Amino acid sequence: MRLKRFFAVALCSAVSMVAQAAQPAQSVDFSHKDWDLVCDNTLTCRAAGYSPDETPGGTGSTVLLIREAGPSTPVTNRVMLADTEDAENQKQTVPVLLLNGKSQGNLQPAVDGSWQMSAPQYAAFLNALRHDQTIGFRNSQRTFIFSGEGATAALLKMDDVQGRVGTPGALIKKGNLAESSVKAAIPAPQVEQAAVLDNDDRPMNKAEIARYKPVLMPLILALKQDGESVCSEEVVGSMGWWITRLDEQHTLINTTCWQAAYNMGDVYYVVSQDAAPQLVTYSGTGYEKGVVSSSSAGRGIADCVSSADWTWDGQHFVQTKVTNTGRCAYIRLGGTWDLPTLIRKVIAPAP
């Protein structure tokens, strides 16, 4: 398996270690060669292209194309150049877009250290993708390599998911179908977050461990994914047991479930007097103010990260976010893009 796809395949599945399904039916995750497409449950699609696998360190680049659903919606573009080698020097120079080795002018600064193509540059870039032209970027230090391999498939899939194939606004297969036939955006589902008694967890005392461990330990050790045990008996409880009061009836308990080379996951359960324990996740990495979170790096240098949130609604922890930062492409430590597959609008509790 290619290293870049390890993140999308293996890591995203790790974040989805929950009792309930993490991904809604509308979400899409598609890859072909050097391009990936992710569409979330609102039908917003994000296509990301990268430099080829064999690109030397520090010369890679990635382009992100974002389009919301609905007739005649525009495409937003972002460009990120590798900054893992000499970040400070690179951020002081303005890169240019190269098509077939010829400069198309300076890019414009965008958010979070990224760059943006102007409308004429983007049109030329899209035309270059369609006609297999050489694409790259250059600043005063170096030339950054980019690949159009797989772009046609990814962008055609984007058009298909949003119902644009055959319309004037399609990226690949344009036609004369009315723009009104394009799928409308789906509103993000809302979750009303409930107030909690404890904003942080704390270590359990001996009495609490004696009360809850015998109840939860069999459930934890029985957890399986694809027929394999999830939590290691040697790991469970090795870093202590932790407790959080959610309200007068519900308590959140967590302990370490598994450990790997550069990631670990905690198992979280909601316990109450009148119901069986509810599993939240067995890949959690933190709790704060009514939100259980999970974050995992695709490899040791953490140039690709996957994360998820579960929000307390007074009865259950509802998964409110699933996202990743794109391929392990050695572009930026901590990850490059925000590519959500699940979005829910969280309504904060009244103060």
Side-chain angles (χ1 to χ4, degrees), residues 172-189:
I172 300 300
K173 289 188 177 180
K174 295 181 180 293
N176 296 320
L177 294 177
E179 279 289 314
S180 59
S181 66
V182 173
K183 296 178 183 179
I186 300 174

Side-chain angles (χ1 to χ4, degrees), residues 36-63:
D36 299 332
L37 174 71
V38 173
C39 300
D40 63 35
N41 54 305
T42 72
L43 284 186
T44 293
C45 291
R46 297 165 174 86
Y50 297 86
S51 47
D53 279 349
E54 64 274 10
T55 301
T59 62
S61 65
T62 175
V63 174

Side-chain angles (χ1 to χ4, degrees), residues 170-305:
L171 296 175
I172 300 300
K173 289 188 177 180
K174 295 181 180 293
N176 296 320
L177 294 177
E179 279 289 314
S180 59
S181 66
V182 173
K183 296 178 183 179
I186 300 174
Q190 294 186 352
V191 174
E192 293 189 11
Q193 183 176 1
V196 294
L197 293 177
D198 293 341
N199 288 331
D200 299 299
D201 53 11
R202 62 167 177 81
M204 292 169 62
N205 58 40
K206 291 182 179 180
E208 290 167 336
I209 293 175
R211 177 183 178 184
Y212 291 114
K213 181 178 177 180
V215 175
L216 294 179
M217 197 69 173
L219 299 177
I220 293 171
L221 296 180
L223 291 172
K224 294 184 181 299
Q225 183 184 36
D226 299 328
E228 300 290 333
S229 296
V230 174
C231 299
S232 167
E233 188 169 2
E234 293 76 21
V235 171
V236 175
S238 62
M239 299 184 69
W241 292 74
W242 300 74
I243 190 168
T244 306
R245 295 180 306 152
L246 299 171
D247 54 37
E248 296 297 340
Q249 292 77 39
H250 299 92
T251 301
L252 181 68
I253 295 175
N254 68 287
T255 189
T256 306
C257 170
W258 56 269
Q259 291 178 319
Y262 38 82
N263 290 311
M264 63 184 298
D266 282 5
V267 58
Y268 284 78
Y269 274 96
V270 176
V271 297
S272 63
Q273 293 286 348
D274 55 357
Q278 299 178 35
L279 173 66
V280 181
T281 179
Y282 46 80
S283 60
T285 53
Y287 166 84
E288 184 178 11
K289 298 179 179 178
V291 177
V292 173
S293 59
S294 172
S295 180
S296 300
R299 56 183 181 179
I301 62 173
D303 57 338
C304 46
V305 178

